[in-house]
């Protein structure tokens, strides 16, 4: 059996899994991506190259075609360790690159000299070329600003991005960690240039962190951006942390501190998940998939075991009663200004 678009051979089992995966458009674009996005931040520092390859292969087996990375991942300045791992995986062939919608990011420092970070036209050009080389590809599907750069005007940002698009080196532009008004300013500047503008926003969003509901999500809806939540399980707090600790599994100092702050809510949450008969991690992902503008939560497994089973979240349908209960446990926000004014 084959994909008619590119003629890449797939086994009958792979085709079945692809057919079971849910896909959606990335924001207002025609680009189809899986409802779960594979985050690769652990590849290199915590996950070996061999295990990283196995996780990416398994992602394709499950029908996950959307992968996210960044030039700084690997956390050794200038080395781009994670992008290099993905590039070597692409180089194995077998249609790995063709089946993948790869999103990477720039902003963080890749060297000690000026202009080796942030969003100047110079750094955009250099960073894109370096990512292409590490990823062993001639184009990036979604090129994202990892953070807002308050010192670079959007006119300069779009001029540099438009050149990359004209050269065929990037297809779409996304943002990460932008405020609602940053999205609006970026889009209005793009509109004056008659260019597509941002198509996605990566934001810190989960049942515990709900601030994006104030202005980021309304901006995404109005301008047609797909929301890609990072840390969808709040660093593990929403992944069944209490039952793991009860079984003697260790937790980081940060998780223990956060758990102390939110223990009452986490206890209620895990008890409610038990009532639903579902794993807390899958309920947390399913909740995000029910939210406005959300395209795909980013799941960042360290091991194949952690990754396996996450697609169960796609099958969980939360009714109005369940969603209301989750809002009672983790209160959210109304759209600004009604959240704090009449």
């Amino acid at each position: 059996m084959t994909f008619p678009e590119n003629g890449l051979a797939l086994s009958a089992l792979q085709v079945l899994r692809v057919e079971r995966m849910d896909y959606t458009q990335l924001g207002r674009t025609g680009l189809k991506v899986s409802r779960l996005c594979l985050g690769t931040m652990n590849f290199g520092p915590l996950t070996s190259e061999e295990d990283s390859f196995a996780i990416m292969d398994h992602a394709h087996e499950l029908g996950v075609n959307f992968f996210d990375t960044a030039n700084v991942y690997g956390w050794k300045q200038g080395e781009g360790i994670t992008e290099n791992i993905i590039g070597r995986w692409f180089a194995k062939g077998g249609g790995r690159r063709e089946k993948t919608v790869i999103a990477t990011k720039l902003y963080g420092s890749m060297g000690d000299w000026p202009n080796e970070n942030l969003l100047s036209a110079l750094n955009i050009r250099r960073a894109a070329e370096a990512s292409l080389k590490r990823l062993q590809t001639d184009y990036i599907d979604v090129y994202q600003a990892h953070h807002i750069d308050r010192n670079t005007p959007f006119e300069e940002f779009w001029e540099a991005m438009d050149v990359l698009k004209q050269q065929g080196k990037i297809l779409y532009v996304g943002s990460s960690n932008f405020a609602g008004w940053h999205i609006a300013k970026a889009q209005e500047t793009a509109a004056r240039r008659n260019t597509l503008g941002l198509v996605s926003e990566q934001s810190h969003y989960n049942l515990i962190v709900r601030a994006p509901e104030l202005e980021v999500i309304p901006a995404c809806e109005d301008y047609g951006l797909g929301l890609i939540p990072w840390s969808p399980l709040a660093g593990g707090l929403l992944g069944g942390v209490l039952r793991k600790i009860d079984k003697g599994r260790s937790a980081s100092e940060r998780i223990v501190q956060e758990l102390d702050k939110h223990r009452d809510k986490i206890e209620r949450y895990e008890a409610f998940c038990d009532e639903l008969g579902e794993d807390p991690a899958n309920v947390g992902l399913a909740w995000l998939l029910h939210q406005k503008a959300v395209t795909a939560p980013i799941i960042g497994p360290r091991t194949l075991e952690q990754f396996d089973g996450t697609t169960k979240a796609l099958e969980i349908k939360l009714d109005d009663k369940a969603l209301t209960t989750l809002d009672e446990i983790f209160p959210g926000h109304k759209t600004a200004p009604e959240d704090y004014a009449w």
Side-chain angles (χ1 to χ4, degrees):
M1 302 180 73
T2 62
F3 277 127
E5 306 94 37
N6 53 30
L8 299 173
L10 287 178
S11 69
L13 181 58
Q14 283 178 306
V15 171
L16 175 62
R17 286 170 169 168
V18 168
E19 289 175 349
R20 291 178 59 184
M21 173 56 60
D22 291 342
Y23 297 90
T24 189
Q25 313 299 126
L26 179 60
R28 66 195 184 284
T29 74
L31 184 66
K32 288 187 178 181
V33 296
S34 49
R35 293 302 312 275
L36 295 175
C37 178
L38 177 63
T40 63
M41 188 171 67
N42 291 319
F43 294 0
L46 298 176
T47 306
S48 70
E49 183 160 324
E50 180 182 2
D51 289 344
S52 300
F53 282 12
I55 289 171
M56 289 186 282
D57 282 334
H58 192 50
H60 277 180
E61 290 175 357
L62 296 173
V64 175
N65 75 333
F66 194 19
F67 293 10
D68 176 72
T69 191
N71 60 357
V72 294
Y73 288 173
W75 311 116
K76 290 186 177 180
Q77 190 183 60
E79 294 190 20
I81 290 172
T82 304
E83 285 188 331
N84 276 312
I85 289 173
I86 297 170
R88 288 190 287 270
W89 181 74
F90 282 156
K92 288 167 65 69
R96 286 174 171 82
R97 175 63 186 100
E98 292 82 358
K99 296 173 194 171
T100 303
V101 174
I102 187 68
T104 192
K105 300 184 284 291
L106 82 151
Y107 176 88
S109 178
M110 296 297 285
D112 295 327
W113 281 75
N115 303 310
E116 291 188 281
N117 61 1
L118 307 180
L119 302 178
S120 69
L122 178 57
N123 189 50
I124 288 173
R125 174 178 176 171
R126 288 175 174 171
E129 295 288 355
S131 286
L132 288 167
K133 183 176 180 180
R134 287 189 291 265
L135 290 167
Q136 299 193 44
T137 185
D138 56 3
Y139 70 99
I140 294 164
D141 296 281
V142 186
Y143 199 39
Q144 303 160 114
H146 210 158
H147 197 277
I148 186 67
D149 177 2
R150 294 177 176 85
N151 292 321
T152 299
F154 278 113
E155 290 82 0
E156 178 180 350
F157 173 82
W158 283 123
E159 184 173 83
M161 290 296 187
D162 287 345
V163 168
L164 290 176
K165 289 174 74 173
Q166 290 160 8
Q167 293 172 336
K169 294 177 180 178
I170 66 172
L171 301 183
Y172 301 96
V173 180
S175 60
S176 181
N177 304 307
F178 275 28
W181 76 271
H182 296 140
I183 293 172
K185 192 168 184 179
Q187 298 305 77
E188 294 304 319
T189 306
R192 291 194 295 271
R193 296 176 56 85
N194 294 313
T195 192
L196 184 62
L198 300 173
V199 303
S200 61
E201 158 63 17
Q202 275 194 37
S203 207
H204 189 193
Y205 185 43
N206 53 53
L207 274 164
I208 295 175
V209 179
R210 298 185 59 171
E213 294 169 352
L214 286 164
E215 299 196 27
V216 172
I217 290 177
C220 288
E221 286 188 286
D222 194 69
Y223 285 105
L225 277 66
L227 186 67
I228 309 170
W230 61 266
S231 193
L233 300 180
L237 284 180
L238 299 170
V241 64
L242 291 177
R243 61 196 69 188
K244 291 175 183 177
I245 291 177
D246 290 343
K247 290 180 180 178
R249 298 186 192 178
S250 62
S252 68
E253 182 179 347
R254 185 191 67 80
I255 286 292
V256 172
Q257 291 175 347
E258 288 298 307
L259 179 57
D260 287 343
K261 288 166 48 179
H262 301 286
R263 179 174 287 273
D264 178 63
K265 293 179 180 179
I266 299 300
E267 288 176 348
R268 293 169 60 195
Y269 173 67
E270 292 196 16
F272 180 61
C273 292
D274 287 339
E275 291 179 22
L276 295 176
E278 301 290 354
D279 183 88
N282 288 333
V283 173
L285 293 173
W287 178 81
L288 280 169
L289 292 168
H290 283 70
Q291 303 310 303
K292 295 176 180 178
V294 169
T295 294
I298 299 175
I299 49 176
R302 293 190 300 275
T303 65
L304 193 60
E305 179 185 17
Q306 287 183 340
F307 185 38
D308 214 20
T310 54
T311 55
K312 180 64 166 59
L314 300 170
E315 302 171 13
I316 298 175
K317 305 303 178 187
L318 300 172
D319 59 22
D320 289 343
K321 182 178 179 182
L323 292 170
T324 298
T325 299
L326 290 169
D327 280 340
E328 290 170 351
I329 297 172
F330 301 105
H333 294 277
K334 298 178 182 178
T335 299
E338 287 83 1
D339 190 78
Y340 48 81
W342 58 270

